[in-house]
Amino acid sequence: MNALAAQKLKPDITAAEQDPRWAAVVARDASADRKFWCAVTTTGIYCRPSCPSRPLPRNVRFYDTIAEARAQGFRPCKRCNPARGGDALQT
């Protein structure tokens, strides 16, 4: 395979993958919970970084507050329930 063909197989790096918060999502880092939320454009949900769901990076957007995610039309994830407990204070 030549270099040009190999380059075409390599997907573009997304904005989410360039964001340092993406590492916390990949690692399901519970210590990042309540510091930010990630939203998935294809499902219309927002999640905790520790959520067991595995979105594709090209579909992820990051928000500092639940209110920001809701203002963009996202709803809470039913798996990780990001609005429960103390997180609701971040609205």
Side-chain angles (χ1 to χ4, degrees):
M1 177 182 315
N2 65 34
L4 182 59
Q7 196 173 42
K8 286 182 180 181
L9 291 176
K10 188 176 181 182
D12 293 330
I13 295 175
T14 66
E17 290 171 303
Q18 294 176 9
D19 191 305
R21 296 175 287 190
W22 179 247
V25 173
V26 170
R28 297 181 184 161
D29 184 0
S31 70
D33 287 357
R34 298 180 57 178
K35 294 179 181 169
F36 69 89
W37 285 263
C38 56
V40 184
T41 59
T42 53
T43 60
I45 63 164
Y46 65 91
C47 300
R48 300 169 184 267
S50 64
C51 184
S53 68
R54 298 288 89 203
L56 294 173
R58 68 175 178 250
N59 301 326
V60 172
R61 305 294 178 270
F62 295 108
Y63 295 97
D64 293 327
T65 66
I66 287 176
E68 290 175 0
R70 287 183 179 167
Q72 293 298 313
F74 293 100
R75 64 173 178 77
C77 172
K78 292 181 179 179
R79 289 182 80 180
C80 69
N81 194 7
R84 82 166 179 255
D87 292 341
L89 300 175
Q90 291 281 335
T91 60

